[in-house]
Amino acid sequence: MAGRIPDQFIDELLARTDITDVVASRISLKKTGQNYSALCPFHNEKSPSFSLNPNKQFYYCFGCGAGGNAISFVMEHDHVDFVDAIETLAKDAGMEVPREQGAPDRYEQNAELLKRLSESSQFYQQQLIQHPDKKKATDYLSKDRGLSGQIAKVFGLGYAPSGWDNLLKKIGTRAESQEQLLLGGMLIEKKDQLGHYYDRFRDRIIFPIRDSRGRVIAFGGRAFGDEKPKYLNSPETPVFQKSQELYGLFEAKQNTPILDQIIVVEGYMDVIVLAQHGITNAVATLGTSVNSQHIRKLFKLVSKVVLCFDGDKAGRAAAIRGLEASLPVMQDEKQVRFLFLPEGEDPDSLVRKEGKEAFNHRLEDASSLSHVLFDHARNQVTLGDEEGEAQFARNAMEMIKQIPKELTFRSVLIRQLSDQSGIDSETLGNTVFKTRRQHTLTEGHEPALQSHTQQTQHYDGDTPDLSHYDYEPAHGDYDDFNQQSGQITSVVHSQTKQQPTKKHWGKGFSKGKFYNNEPPLPPAAPSLSRIKQASLCLLLHPHIAKEIDLPDPVVNQANDELQIFCKIWRYFTKHPDKNTGHLLGEITDQTTISSIYALLNHQDATTKQKITNARQEVLDMVLALEKNLGLNSSIARLKSKGNESIKDNSSKQELRNLMDLIRQKKH
């Protein structure tokens, strides 16, 4: 059911949930006095710094600053969103999640379609282990591509045998099922026989495409030889829009213990081979270039995105499209980096040749967004004189202007450009440019997925383990589907509320692309105010409190956000050896506790933990407050005196200071 989950239910769920049971079912806990301790699951450590307080029903890590309640733990540990975490805990508690009245989302509208797609995935996996011609498929995967049976299970790989109606005969036995399979792009209607269909995927290796919750929403098929097309994807459907999805994202969330960065590559096989070599955090676009929706989606999960491209001309062009897609959705303390591989190599071939460690070294040395931006701006310049330098500055500023104005990152780039061009930052910032035309892909002009043609190779030089290909997938209805795949458990959750789609297929739908143009970007997550950012800095770096003095006018302000900040500052100033775990354990004011939890659970908390200038960030906030207070106070005092009184030297000096403050505030 769609709709918002009532707050009252969330409160009741937390009251009936014991966080100790939730955490103990996922990590190993050790009793230490009244609390429990453990190795933190959110960062690498050798000695336990994770503490769980069963009386307060919260956890906190003294090493990385992660903290919260049962809901936030499930979100972070299981790599799921808020609604998924609620539904997981509710299922464990035997409670049904109520929803406030709302329109059903596209998944609820297409529950039968999702069930048929799940059944199709199971059918293809069965053929890989049961079909008389299965050796053709298993030999291709194991000998030609060097994949183990284990990794094939993790990604749910399957086999579509030769023939026109294998899937149709198995799944489409009823007219209703045929309609759903057609709606899901699994069947094609015969041109000369309306109402008669044949299988879309024939004689191909099958790659199920899952959404972020593990639901099968589409498929990709790879030909065995040089047949065209080499890669065949499902068409867009009511549950699949390729510009919004990323192949392997579900698997990356499930199999990466600490998911702090994601690598974006170009092909299915790149993702799978990297995972087989232990690099489990790679995803691939689905026949489209990286777009802004992809970047924003990944920023909700991680603080760093690495775009990986071939080192050839096409790879460089793709990198520029990735750069342009990243600029409008950049966020402070988020990173986009660019990895260019040696010419003639792709992630699949390179990780086989060099191994995991060498590939990870390449990731660490990936180029920054600023480097790629300035490099691209200069590469467009042909003049080696002042005119060329001016054009370079214009090229760079044209791209920098795409970054949201409020970001510190934008200011940093302008300052860097000023250093490189010799033009002052104010002049650069005031330059007017034409709106930059974004690269858009139209139907029929989307690049095909990168092909991988290479010599027969075996994984790590050993004979591949084929025993896992004899694995028998479980069957059952979609709602009960729970398939064990290596380290993956695919659990079907209820759906979150989404906006209804504007165009559909089948009854009430129209054929063609689901969206004629790329859909509008969803709104960006709300950013923290400057005071809240400073509060978060204190929570994650409490040792800096003793180095910060707050003037009385700031402390006495009535602003709610500032009061929370002052409470945190007072505590850590008074108790310099204590941390946020102690703070949460001693505070009794529920409003303050809720505010602290909200800060610790904010998407920026992970990256805030890693900054090295936390003290300066807090000091800058305090200084800005002081200046603002001084400005307001001076204005009020001079207004009360009137013009006639501004004749003595002290009043004149105060007026000069006031004007300086106003000028600074404008800048």
Side-chain angles (χ1 to χ4, degrees), residues 32-84:
T32 51
Q34 294 184 345
N35 297 338
Y36 292 88
S37 64
L39 291 173
C40 180
F42 307 121
H43 79 289
N44 293 318
E45 62 177 8
K46 295 181 179 179
S47 57
S49 59
F50 179 91
S51 179
L52 186 149
N53 186 324
N55 294 325
K56 299 280 188 179
Q57 287 290 294
F58 77 90
Y59 67 92
Y60 184 75
C61 175
F62 302 121
C64 69
N69 56 20
I71 297 173
S72 63
F73 183 85
V74 173
M75 289 174 65
E76 293 298 319
H77 185 274
D78 296 2
H79 304 301
V80 297
D81 60 22
F82 180 78
V83 174
D84 282 346

Side-chain angles (χ1 to χ4, degrees), residues 22-23 75 89 117 128 173 186 303 310-311 336 361 391 410 462 535 550 574 594 666:
V22 173
V23 176
M75 289 174 65
L89 293 173
L117 294 174
L128 188 60
T173 54
M186 304 308 296
S303 58
D310 298 350
V336 174
H361 283 319
Q391 187 58 49
R410 172 171 163 151
D462 297 325
S535 298
L550 293 189
K574 185 177 181 181
S594 298
K666 286 183 177 179

